[in-house]
Amino acid sequence: MIRMESLEQLESQLLDIQRWEKEQKDVMFWEKLGRIPFMLLDRITPKIVREKIGSALNEVGGFIQTGGKHLIRERAVLDVLAQTAGSPSVYGDEEDNRDGEGEEASGSGLTLEQAARLPLAIMDSAADTIAAKRVKFAAAQGAAAGTGGLFTMAVDIPLVLGQSLKVLQEMALCYGYDPNEERERIFIVKCLQFASADIVGKKAILDELGEFDDQDGGEQVISQLQGWREVVQSYTDSFGMKKLFQLIPIAGIVFGSISNRGTIRDVAEAGKMLYKKRRIRHRLRSMKPSED
């Protein structure tokens, strides 16, 4: 039987995350110049390619609004969690495993509600396993995009965006949160924004997310949904300088691989740490009253 964390252990891990937040550095100077080459690139990109990018970005907007084609199935992530745990006994009793209360159980019998009660060590291990696979896939995808010049590079941008959204959903599921919920998709977009923001932007996002679970859903969620285009545009603009290097023959393969791998790694890390922080704070809130 795997034991859950004590109050002291949760507080210690929360301090580790807060140290990680303080260590987040500003984006590099050349990345801040990304918008300029991106705009120049946009001018020389054929109309049909620009339309394809625009269509893909609209699909991302569809994800934020309703889930759209970028929603993942939770079954695979729950199975990774179950395999990491190694024993059905940590999920709860047999009655819990039989009664999904309308939730779709995975092949392992683990539900999302039960996953939310797993020890953080299991959540962390599953998140690391999934992130590593996503990073490896992104590197291969970036290398392939670097072989085709302008056309494959343009298509690569929405593909990386889609991969970013998928890995963030997987991080959400690892820590027991449901990306099918509109509220969680807002949090995912904020994680995406955090990964590419400068140091001032990161601080502002952390302040906002610090009160995320204290807010009522309603009008606040709707007002944030309306700003999705600005978030997505800012995220894609940050690709500018990196993607420009992919136009260099042969070297573009290397640059593409490094760029995509770094992007997905940063996004996955942000999602893991920010979702883990929410789970820790939730457990602390539920434990502290009993300590009084």
Side-chain angles (χ1 to χ4, degrees):
M1 180 72 175
I2 300 177
R3 299 182 63 181
M4 298 296 289
E5 304 83 14
S6 66
L7 178 65
E8 292 73 19
Q9 289 172 327
L10 289 173
E11 290 176 334
S12 176
Q13 293 204 45
L14 183 59
L15 286 175
D16 289 340
I17 294 175
Q18 290 170 343
R19 278 192 287 269
W20 171 83
E21 291 174 348
K22 291 179 180 178
E23 291 169 359
Q24 297 307 295
K25 297 179 175 61
D26 198 1
V27 293
M28 299 298 290
F29 177 72
W30 62 270
E31 289 180 317
K32 290 184 178 181
L33 296 178
R35 178 178 290 271
I36 297 175
F38 192 93
M39 291 171 64
L40 294 175
L41 191 62
D42 186 64
R43 290 186 179 181
I44 64 173
T45 302
K47 181 179 178 181
I48 188 172
V49 178
R50 292 201 306 270
E51 289 176 348
K52 187 164 187 178
I53 295 175
S55 175
L57 295 184
N58 284 334
E59 289 176 359
V60 174
F63 160 78
I64 299 169
Q65 299 284 344
T66 62
K69 65 177 287 187
H70 292 291
L71 267 181
I72 64 171
R73 295 183 63 186
E74 66 182 41
R75 181 181 299 272
V77 178
L78 293 176
D79 284 344
V80 173
L81 283 165
Q83 291 166 11
T84 304
S87 171
S89 62
V90 302
Y91 313 149
D93 57 32
E94 292 182 1
E95 182 178 352
D96 278 345
N97 289 328
R98 289 195 304 267
D99 183 11
E101 294 275 333
E103 293 184 64
E104 180 184 3
S106 69
S108 61
L110 183 68
T111 66
L112 186 58
E113 182 181 358
Q114 293 162 350
R117 302 197 300 265
L118 289 172
L120 288 174
I122 291 175
M123 294 176 169
D124 289 345
S125 181
D128 290 341
T129 297
I130 291 170
K133 290 181 179 179
R134 286 289 180 193
V135 169
K136 184 177 180 180
F137 178 80
Q141 177 181 291
T147 64
L150 183 62
F151 287 91
T152 54
M153 185 211 67
V155 172
D156 186 48
I157 292 174
L159 288 177
V160 173
L161 196 53
Q163 287 296 314
S164 297
L165 291 173
K166 288 178 179 178
V167 75
L168 286 172
Q169 290 177 76
E170 290 166 336
M171 296 301 102
L173 289 166
C174 282
Y175 291 93
Y177 293 94
D178 186 1
N180 287 291
E181 296 180 1
E182 183 180 66
R183 186 171 175 78
E184 292 309 321
R185 294 199 296 273
I186 290 293
F187 193 88
I188 284 171
V189 173
K190 291 298 179 183
C191 291
L192 190 69
Q193 191 177 10
F194 178 87
S196 60
D198 60 22
I199 193 167
V200 176
K202 280 181 166 65
K203 185 179 184 304
I205 294 167
L206 288 174
D207 290 343
E208 183 178 349
L209 294 183
E211 301 177 354
F212 191 83
D213 288 320
D214 301 327
Q215 300 169 0
D216 294 328
E219 295 182 1
Q220 182 70 19
V221 170
I222 293 174
S223 65
Q224 291 184 50
L225 278 172
Q226 292 172 346
W228 72 266
R229 286 186 179 276
E230 288 74 12
V231 174
V232 171
Q233 189 62 55
S234 174
Y235 185 70
T236 54
D237 284 351
S238 71
F239 283 115
M241 186 68 78
K242 302 177 198 176
K243 292 300 178 185
L244 200 60
F245 284 124
Q246 284 184 234
L247 295 178
I248 303 173
I250 302 178
I253 299 174
V254 176
F255 282 121
S257 178
I258 293 173
S259 172
N260 285 16
R261 181 178 60 196
T263 296
I264 299 302
R265 183 192 61 232
D266 291 347
V267 168
E269 181 183 37
K272 174 188 173 182
M273 299 302 277
L274 295 175
Y275 266 111
K276 181 178 179 179
K277 181 179 180 180
R278 281 181 71 190
R279 180 54 60 197
I280 290 174
R281 292 183 66 181
H282 175 81
R283 290 183 179 177
L284 285 172
R285 283 194 299 268
S286 65
M287 292 174 70
K288 284 187 174 179
S290 63
E291 298 288 324
D292 293 338

